[in-house]
Every structure is written in structure tokens, then in C-alpha cells.
Amino acid sequence: MNLFKEAYTARIEQLGKEREAGRRVVGTFCLFVPDEIVFASGADRVILCGGRSNTISVAEEYLPRNICPLIKSSFGAIVNGSCSGDLACPHFGMVDAIVAEATCDGKKKMYELLHEYIPTYVMDLPQMPDSRTSIGYFESELRRFGRFMEGLTGRTITEEALAREIRSGNETRRMLHRLYEMRRLDPPPIRGSDVIKMLQKQYFLSPDVFRNGLREVCDEVEKKTASGEKCGPRLMISGCPMPAGNMKVPQIIEDMGACIVVEESCTGTRSFWDLVDEQKDPWTALAERYLKIPCSCMTPNQGRIDSIIELAERFDVDGVVYYTLQSCHGYNIERYRVGKALKEANIPMLAIETDYSDADVEQIRIRVEAFLEMLS
Ligand code: SF4
Ligand code: SF4
């Protein structure tokens, strides 16, 4: 775990040196932007999603109050940075462009404003993944994105480079599967909050450093398996992403003695569950894999419901905490269908809708406590 902590500072230094040497760096906000294309073009990338509350008041000078805290936190950090404020996002100063994506409405509109501060490229996304034309359309969008990256770096994306990056991405995904397999044990040999913190760094660190750290953690965790007392109720967290700085709910859950054994989240299984097919044409394979991400911006989104039930059974959970951010309509509305499916599968669910402030910590604690009592 120490490796991950130290890697953060080293990464900032590395990016500074890379940029001095002429390497281009892009900032991203979403799982739908394939790392493989960024790296195959010779660029680097860092994730810019905000998880802190102290930049939200700045954002509210530009954005409506009733949009999700993730959008406000990210935008506030960036805008404040450009005004030389001390709340600036340290990563933002290191990027040449933003690669955005047409997912939820709040993000799409925020990107339009962001473009006034930094060149912001928006990748379109078919939002009906099951339709006959969606894969072909997404593949053409990925190729357009590839051309944007080539323009930025001046380097052609070859099929070989893309295939190499696909293999590298899959290697990381396989290793995350290895880690998550161990979490099926009772007691799980690693805390859920430690895994979430690690996954928050997945798109910030370089793939090699992330993977080496992950390998070390897997080796360490493997030695500890199958020992110790059984833990409290085994829980899954499902819902909105939890970017760095936002650990409120997992921490409350674990402080009360429950174990988080899996996260159906972009800081969890959605980031790695499906591999890219290494046998197919790389562009098609990427389009197919990335369109499987069951984000709530998709409709209909049966894939997400199926995946939640499958994960709940696979990780033998006693209950699900459905975690959403205020004003995130996609995940908040989908709560109904998830709750219904879980009820049919006889798995209890607690819904928590919150923001990045500490104002509701006590209230969440009381609700989690009551939920855990009901499960035990
Ligand atoms: S929740 Fe959806 S929009 Fe947000 S990061 Fe995940 S895939 Fe992207
Ligand atoms: S999908 Fe939800 S959590 Fe993610 S940016 Fe949009 S509103 Fe916020």
C-alpha cells in the first residue's frame, strides 16, 4: 500500500519531466475514454474527477447548485486553478487538452464551459448500446478520437501500438480480477476502502507503476488469505464513482464493522470487468469492450442490473449499499430498478444519496447502523 502513497508525488514529477521533453498529456473524466488510444498515440493521461468539497463553492459561481458534486468539484478545481487560486487541481496544470465524452447532461454542459479554459475534445457516445448500429458508430467515434490524438502528438497510431496497449490494459484488468477473487473469501483479506483508494489512482498513475503496485498488493494479500475471524455483514457498494477525496460512505460502513467486498462502480468493477478481445481488429475490439460499461447514461441498462445481481451472488454479499450523489439523475432513477431486482433476489438494499460535505455523516451513520443490525 505504501507504494501507492509514494507513487503520487513521483508521478507529478514524472509528468513534469515528460512535458519538458515534449510529451503531450490529456486530462480525462470518464471510463469511456480508452487509455489504449491515448498511449498508442504517444501521449500520457491523468484523471481529473474531483472528489473534494472545498472547490464546490467556486464552481457554484458558474454552475447551478443543483448538479452533482463530482461535476462541481472538478470544475471548481480547474477554474480556480486558472485564477491562480490555492485550491487548484494539481493535475490540471499538467494537461494540454481535455478529452471529454458525451455521457450525462451535467458533464456534457460543463465541458462546454471548460472549453473556455482549455481545449476540450468531446467524444460522442451511442447511449443505446443494444441497438444494431451502436458498435459501428462508436468505432467510428474512436477512430475520430484517434485522429485527434494523432494531431495532438504528431504521431500515427499504428495497429501494432494499439494491440500492444490492449495487451497491457488487459494485463492490468486480469490482475484486478486476481485481487477481487481474493475478496470472495470470508473474511476478505483486504479492506474495501483500501481497494477503492487504489482504484482511485488507476487512471492517474502510469500503467506500469499501477500494475507493479497492484502485483505487490496481490502477493501480500495472497499470503494472508483464509485466516482471522469472520467479518461483519458482507456488503457491495453500487452506484456513482468515488473519486479521490471522497471516502465518506465506505469509511462509515467499515468503521461500523461491516466488510465491503465488491464495488459495482467506476471506482470498482466497471473499470476492469470486461477485457478487450485481443484476437479482433483493435478498433472494433475497443468499441465492443468500452460499450459494455454499464454506466447509467445508457438506455436501457439491463446489463447493469444483471451485473449487480451476478456480483452480489459471486461475492456472497449480505446486502447492497446503493450509493448516489445528489442530482445524479441517472444513478438515482436507476435505483428503483436495482432495488426491485435485488428484492426479487432476496438481497436487502440501503440507498444513500449524499454529497461531498460532512453535514450528513451522523445521519448516514444511523442509517448504516440500522441496516447492519437488520442484516445480522
Ligand atoms: S459513471 Fe458513467 S459518466 Fe461517470 S465516469 Fe463512470 S462511465 Fe463515465
Ligand atoms: S453520471 Fe452522475 S455522478 Fe457522474 S458526473 Fe454525471 S451526474 Fe455526476
Side-chain angles (χ1 to χ4, degrees):
M1 286 299 163
N2 283 342
L3 192 147
F4 282 98
K5 283 186 201 139
E6 288 155 18
Y8 181 84
T9 326
R11 175 65 164 158
I12 300 273
E13 273 174 36
Q14 179 209 344
L15 287 166
K17 283 189 190 139
E18 279 182 1
R19 292 195 76 218
E20 270 172 37
R23 193 170 183 193
R24 298 307 191 116
V25 181
V26 294
T28 59
F29 286 92
C30 178
L31 295 191
F32 280 109
V33 178
D35 267 1
E36 289 89 343
I37 297 175
V38 175
F39 293 131
S41 76
D44 207 335
R45 59 84 187 99
V46 284
I47 194 135
L48 298 176
C49 285
R52 296 181 196 285
S53 63
N54 59 352
T55 58
I56 287 185
S57 56
V58 178
E60 285 176 347
E61 291 172 28
Y62 303 77
L63 302 170
R65 294 189 63 162
N66 58 346
I67 59 169
C68 97
L70 194 157
I71 296 174
K72 286 192 287 187
S73 173
S74 311
F75 189 78
I78 289 170
V79 170
N80 210 50
S82 71
C83 306
S84 313
D86 26 306
L87 301 178
C89 165
H91 318 163
F92 174 66
M94 311 201 133
V95 304
D96 298 289
I98 300 275
V99 179
E101 67 325 301
T103 46
C104 71
D105 288 349
K107 270 176 143 186
K108 276 188 293 213
K109 291 288 130 185
M110 183 268 274
Y111 293 141
E112 290 173 14
L113 301 191
L114 204 52
H115 191 56
E116 292 182 14
Y117 297 86
I118 182 159
T120 302
Y121 174 88
V122 182
M123 187 172 75
D124 196 13
L125 197 65
Q127 299 191 1
M128 298 182 75
D130 303 330
S131 81
R132 207 168 38 82
T133 51
S134 63
I135 298 282
Y137 177 67
F138 193 41
E139 185 181 326
S140 68
E141 265 304 288
L142 292 184
R143 286 180 186 271
R144 184 174 74 90
F145 169 47
R147 290 193 290 277
F148 168 78
M149 290 306 303
E150 287 174 339
L152 191 71
T153 62
R155 201 202 279 189
T156 305
I157 298 177
T158 62
E159 298 228 333
E160 292 70 38
L162 213 45
R164 184 189 65 228
E165 296 304 334
I166 287 173
R167 285 195 298 277
S168 158
N170 277 347
E171 204 186 318
T172 304
R173 292 181 188 111
R174 284 194 194 96
M175 211 173 289
L176 282 164
H177 273 280
R178 180 181 160 205
L179 182 69
Y180 273 62
E181 252 330 92
M182 292 188 250
R183 300 177 74 192
R184 293 175 67 193
L185 296 170
D186 197 8
I190 184 165
R191 281 169 73 87
S193 46
D194 285 336
V195 175
I196 297 170
K197 282 184 199 156
M198 239 159 51
L199 285 183
Q200 287 171 342
K201 301 205 170 55
Q202 188 181 358
Y203 299 100
F204 178 68
L205 299 178
S206 75
D208 285 349
V209 170
F210 180 74
R211 208 164 37 233
N212 288 340
L214 193 57
R215 187 175 295 112
E216 214 173 87
V217 169
C218 284
D219 292 346
E220 224 175 84
V221 170
E222 238 158 28
K223 286 187 207 135
K224 292 202 270 176
T225 52
S227 61
E229 284 179 28
K230 294 221 182 293
C231 68
R234 297 170 61 87
L235 299 184
M236 158 158 62
I237 294 195
S238 168
C240 289
M242 285 171 276
N246 172 26
M247 289 297 291
K248 180 168 69 179
V249 172
Q251 238 131 35
I252 292 175
I253 292 173
E254 293 198 329
D255 286 351
M256 303 199 103
C259 295
I260 300 166
V261 293
V262 61
E263 308 78 25
E264 188 279 321
S265 168
C266 288
T267 20
T269 52
R270 284 203 293 270
S271 74
F272 69 87
W273 203 253
D274 293 301
L275 269 59
V276 184
D277 190 332
E278 294 178 22
Q279 309 308 321
K280 286 193 176 167
D281 166 83
W283 294 98
T284 314
L286 285 171
E288 286 176 354
R289 187 268 166 195
Y290 279 83
L291 216 49
K292 279 190 201 141
I293 298 169
C295 171
S296 72
C297 67
M298 294 295 167
T299 188
N301 202 17
Q302 186 59 34
R304 176 164 180 243
I305 313 283
D306 297 343
S307 137
I308 290 171
I309 301 296
E310 193 193 313
L311 291 170
E313 286 167 0
R314 183 168 185 78
F315 288 84
D316 196 18
V317 306
D318 299 305
V320 173
V321 172
Y322 194 84
Y323 162 86
T324 53
L325 292 171
Q326 281 165 9
S327 304
C328 171
H329 303 320
Y331 286 99
N332 279 322
I333 295 173
E334 229 160 68
R335 173 174 59 203
Y336 176 80
R337 289 190 63 207
V338 172
K340 190 162 168 265
L342 285 170
K343 200 167 181 191
E344 280 161 16
N346 232 353
I347 302 165
M349 177 181 108
L350 170 72
I352 294 177
E353 183 181 346
T354 185
D355 59 11
Y356 288 174
S357 76
D358 285 336
D360 56 0
V361 166
E362 237 1 87
Q363 192 205 351
I364 295 175
R365 210 171 267 147
I366 292 168
R367 295 190 60 220
V368 170
E369 192 174 23
F371 187 58
L372 298 184
E373 262 171 31
M374 188 196 86
L375 297 179
S376 39

